[in-house]
Amino acid sequence: MREDDTMAPLLKLPIGIQAFETLREQGYVYVDKTRWIHRLATEGMFYFMSRPRRFGKSLLVSTLKCLFEGRKELFAGLWLAERTDWPWRAHPVIAVDFNGIPASDPEELKSSLGRYLRVIATRAGLTLDGEIPAVQFRELILALYQQTQTPVVVLIDEYDKPLIEHLGRGENGLAVAKANRDILRGFFGVLKDGEVSPRLRFVLLTGVSRFSKISVFSELNNLQDLSMNGQYADLLGYTQAELEQNFADHLERFSAALDCPPETVRAKLALRYNGYRFSERDISVYNPFSILNALSENQLRNYWFTSGTPTFLINLLQEKRYDLTEMEGVEVMASAFATFDLERLGLEGLLFQTGYLTIKSVQDDLYTLGYPNQEVKTAFTEALLLAYTEPPDGRMSGQTRRLGIHLRQGKLEAFFETLGAIFAAIPYTLNARRDEAYFHTIFYLLLTATGVEATSEVLTGRGRIDLAVEFADRVYVFEFKCGQSAETALRQIRERGYAGRYAGSGKAVTLIGINFDPEQRNLAEWRVEQA
C-alpha cells in the first residue's frame, strides 16, 4: 500500500484524548467498550478499579459521565445503544479528578478539594456551607438529589494520587501520604453515609494502586473491586482482536512504512507492547498509549515509559535492597495483591499495580509475575541501571547498546572489553557491596537494557543458571563467581548440565564462566567453551 492523495484519510488516533464527547464528536477511533460499561451500570452500584497509568481510566470515567447524563447522541452505533434498552435518564453527576487537585501537604489537599467541590456546586446553582471536604461532599450529594429528585452518580478518578506522589521520598514524604490518607478516608466514607447512600445511583473509583479496605476505604467497605475480576480483564486496554479490528488501516500503513509483511508487523507490535494480564483469566491487552503512539509514528519506541519515569518505585527498590534479578519469574500468593498499605508496601504488588510486572501464569493460589512486554522490560531496566550505577556522563548508554550488538554477533572479545570499560566507569563512591549478587545484578541490568532476551536464575533439573541470553541462532549460558576463578564457574555449568536445557533447540550453545574481582570492582577473567 502507498499513501497518496487518492486514499481515504485514516480515522484519527485518540492519543491523550480523555473526553468521550471529544473522541466521538471529532472523528477519533473508539474501541467500543460499552458492552462492559452496560454490565457495570445494570448489575451493580459501588465499584473500584485499579489500572496502570495511561490505560484509559479517565476515558472510562468520561464515558460513564456522558452515559448517566443521558447524552444518547454520543453512543450512536455503539453496542450499548444498538443492543440494549438503556433508559437515557439524565442524572446529576459528581466527577472528581484528583489529577487536578494539588496535594503537596494535607492543608493544600483540604483547601484544593474544597474549592473543587464548590465549583461543581456553583455550576449547579448551589452553595455549600461546610468547611471541610467530607462535610461539603455530603452536602453536595444531598443538595443535588434534592434539586433534581434523581439519584446521584459519583465518579472519582485517580483517587490515590495524593498518596503515591509522596512515596519513595523518605520519612517526610511517607508522613504526608499518611496525613493525606486520613483526609481521603473520611471523604470517601461519605459515600456509605446512611442518608447519602440511598440517594446514589452509581459510584466508581479508579486509581493506580489498590490500597487495602482497612486503609483508605475503611469507612467504605462495600466497593466491588474489579481490578482482578476476569469479567472485566479487557475493559481497559486493547486485545489483539480489538487492535486488528479497529486499526486495520493503521496497521497496513505501519506495514508499508517498515516494508514488512503484516504478520511480521503484528508480531513486532505484540512483542513490544502487548502482554498486560490482570486476572486469572488468560487474556492480555495492550497499553493504549503505547500502541497508539507507535501506530501514529510508525516507530517501535518506548512511549509509555518516557511519559513518566517511576522515580518513587526505583527509590523504593533501592531502599528495600530488592533483588532485581528475581523480578522475572517471581512467585507470589494472591494476598500480595490485596494487602497494599502505606505501612507495608509489598513491592511485588506495587510493581504489578503500576504495570511494571504482570501475571504470566496462575496455578492454584500461586501467581508467577514477569515483565509484560519488551517496552517495559527494556526501559525499566535501563532506568534501574542508571540509578544503580550513577554514570558521570552519557557515555555508558552508548556502551551498553554495543554490548547487545557484540553478543548478537558473537564478538566476545569486544563484548568483554566493553563490559570492563562500563564497570570501570561506575563511581567508587556508590554505597554498594561489591559481591557476587552486586555484579550479577549489574550484569543482568546491562544486558536487559540493550533489549536482548536475558533471563536470570533459569531453573533446570540440577540447579539454576545465573543468566541465559537467547538469540534466534544461539544461546549464551553465564555463570558468575566473585573472588574465585572463571574456570570454577565454567566447571559448574558443565557438572550441572546447564546446556542440556537447550539441547534440541537447534541453536549453538556457548558456555561462559566469569569471575569478578571485588577489590578492583571489575571483571577479573572469563572463559568460554562451546557445548
Side-chain angles (χ1 to χ4, degrees):
M1 180 188 77
R2 184 171 61 85
E3 194 169 349
D4 56 43
D5 294 338
T6 65
M7 295 178 58
L10 299 179
L11 287 174
K12 294 187 290 186
L13 296 169
I15 300 172
I17 305 297
Q18 299 178 346
F20 181 69
E21 57 267 42
T22 300
L23 188 149
R24 295 292 289 166
E25 291 172 346
Q26 297 185 19
Y28 288 91
V29 177
Y30 175 64
V31 176
D32 191 350
K33 299 288 187 176
T34 59
R35 181 192 303 263
W36 293 265
I37 289 171
H38 179 262
R39 184 192 302 164
L40 282 175
T42 56
E43 294 184 0
M45 180 174 169
F46 289 92
Y47 295 105
F48 169 78
M49 188 173 209
S50 70
R51 281 293 182 270
R53 60 186 174 82
R54 298 288 194 168
F55 238 93
K57 299 187 296 294
S58 297
L59 178 58
L60 172 63
V61 167
S62 177
T63 306
L64 285 162
K65 181 175 184 291
C66 293
L67 178 67
F68 282 109
E69 288 175 341
R71 302 182 65 178
K72 183 177 180 179
E73 73 283 359
L74 296 176
F75 292 82
L78 300 181
W79 186 91
L80 185 145
E82 299 294 322
R83 304 285 294 277
T84 76
D85 57 353
W86 182 257
W88 301 108
R89 180 185 181 186
H91 293 260
V93 178
I94 299 173
V96 180
D97 183 359
F98 276 93
N99 281 312
I101 298 175
S104 60
D105 57 53
E107 291 306 312
E108 183 178 54
L109 174 58
K110 286 189 288 188
S111 62
S112 56
L113 184 53
R115 287 194 301 272
Y116 197 100
L117 295 175
R118 284 193 293 272
V119 169
I120 296 175
T122 300
R123 289 173 179 168
L126 301 171
T127 301
L128 303 180
D129 298 323
E131 296 294 330
I132 63 175
V135 174
Q136 293 170 322
F137 192 30
R138 183 180 188 276
E139 192 179 349
L140 178 59
I141 294 171
L142 295 177
L144 284 171
Y145 178 81
Q146 182 66 31
Q147 181 189 65
T148 63
Q149 291 299 300
T150 305
V152 178
V153 171
V154 176
L155 305 171
I156 308 289
D157 198 13
E158 303 293 357
Y159 85 97
D160 53 347
K161 187 174 182 292
L163 308 180
I164 61 175
E165 68 181 357
H166 297 289
L167 298 183
R169 296 185 177 183
E171 290 300 320
N172 290 337
L174 184 59
V176 172
K178 289 179 178 179
N180 285 350
R181 176 188 60 187
D182 293 340
I183 296 170
L184 295 178
R185 180 186 292 135
F187 182 77
F188 298 135
V190 168
L191 297 170
K192 201 183 178 186
D193 180 279
E195 191 175 357
V196 170
S197 182
R199 290 162 175 80
L200 296 173
R201 165 63 179 86
F202 183 90
V203 173
L204 172 69
L205 287 81
T206 79
V208 170
S209 56
R210 295 171 64 205
F211 281 93
S212 62
K213 291 181 180 179
I214 62 171
S215 177
V216 177
F217 303 131
S218 60
E219 297 181 40
L220 180 61
N221 56 10
N222 58 337
L223 291 173
Q224 182 181 350
D225 189 352
L226 307 176
S227 304
M228 298 183 71
N229 185 323
Q231 294 183 75
Y232 295 95
D234 44 349
L235 168 60
L236 300 181
Y238 303 150
T239 64
Q240 186 67 36
E242 287 173 332
L243 178 70
E244 295 180 17
Q245 178 181 350
N246 291 272
F247 302 96
D249 290 343
H250 295 86
L251 290 169
E252 188 178 351
R253 184 180 66 176
F254 203 136
S255 177
L258 268 60
D259 194 23
C260 287
E263 60 273 17
T264 301
V265 168
R266 290 196 295 270
K268 287 178 179 289
L269 290 170
L271 177 65
R272 197 168 189 100
Y273 304 118
N274 199 358
Y276 295 91
R277 177 180 169 185
F278 298 108
S279 72
E280 291 187 25
R281 180 184 169 205
D282 190 7
I283 186 167
S284 63
V285 293
Y286 288 80
N287 180 309
F289 185 79
S290 293
I291 190 64
L292 290 174
N293 273 281
L295 293 177
S296 174
E297 297 184 8
N298 295 323
Q299 296 283 341
L300 296 169
R301 293 177 177 166
N302 298 330
Y303 299 102
W304 179 67
F305 195 90
T306 55
S307 70
T309 304
T311 305
F312 84 96
L313 274 177
I314 293 172
N315 291 342
L316 287 172
L317 289 168
Q318 289 182 307
E319 286 176 12
K320 295 180 178 292
R321 297 182 178 275
Y322 190 82
D323 186 352
L324 302 178
T325 65
E326 294 187 356
M327 286 183 64
E328 285 190 284
V330 62
E331 296 178 337
V332 299
M333 305 296 285
S335 58
F337 307 117
T339 58
F340 182 65
D341 201 356
L342 293 175
E343 283 78 11
R344 45 177 182 175
L345 292 171
L347 284 174
E348 288 87 0
L350 186 57
L351 287 163
F352 169 72
Q353 291 165 19
T354 50
Y356 296 96
L357 293 180
T358 200
I359 297 170
K360 291 297 184 180
S361 64
V362 184
Q363 185 172 6
D364 298 325
D365 195 37
L366 191 65
Y367 291 73
T368 301
L369 306 181
Y371 292 110
N373 50 48
Q374 190 181 71
E375 176 188 33
V376 174
K377 181 175 181 178
T378 301
F380 192 39
T381 52
E382 185 175 26
L384 287 167
L385 177 64
L386 293 175
Y388 277 73
T389 58
E390 297 181 9
D393 52 40
R395 288 179 297 174
M396 184 179 289
S397 179
Q399 291 174 318
T400 301
R401 288 184 175 84
R402 284 196 293 275
L403 279 178
I405 295 172
H406 293 326
L407 208 54
R408 184 176 287 106
Q409 295 176 345
K411 298 178 179 179
L412 294 181
E413 289 286 350
F415 172 80
F416 283 107
E417 181 180 344
T418 303
L419 185 65
I422 291 173
F423 272 106
I426 298 175
Y428 275 51
T429 54
L430 275 181
N431 184 23
R433 294 173 299 174
R434 298 313 202 266
D435 54 12
E436 184 178 320
Y438 166 80
F439 289 110
H440 185 170
T441 297
I442 300 301
F443 193 92
Y444 165 77
L445 291 175
L446 283 167
L447 288 185
T448 304
T450 70
V452 305
E453 189 62 33
T455 307
S456 187
E457 299 293 341
V458 180
L459 184 65
T460 73
R462 299 174 63 185
R464 290 180 182 269
I465 301 170
D466 277 350
L467 191 77
V469 178
E470 288 195 61
F471 295 101
D473 60 342
R474 65 185 71 195
V475 180
Y476 295 95
V477 176
F478 291 92
E479 186 68 29
F480 307 117
K481 297 298 177 185
C482 190
Q484 298 185 47
S485 70
E487 176 56 36
T488 300
L490 196 58
R491 187 185 312 122
Q492 180 172 322
I493 298 175
R494 290 194 222 99
E495 291 177 351
R496 298 189 181 181
Y498 288 163
R501 178 182 175 89
Y502 304 99
S505 67
K507 300 179 181 182
V509 180
T510 302
L511 316 179
I512 303 178
I514 299 176
N515 180 44
F516 293 101
D517 186 333
E519 297 299 323
Q520 295 298 318
R521 304 183 180 190
N522 207 324
L523 182 70
E525 59 173 337
W526 53 278
R527 293 198 60 181
V528 176
E529 183 176 296
Q530 300 302 317

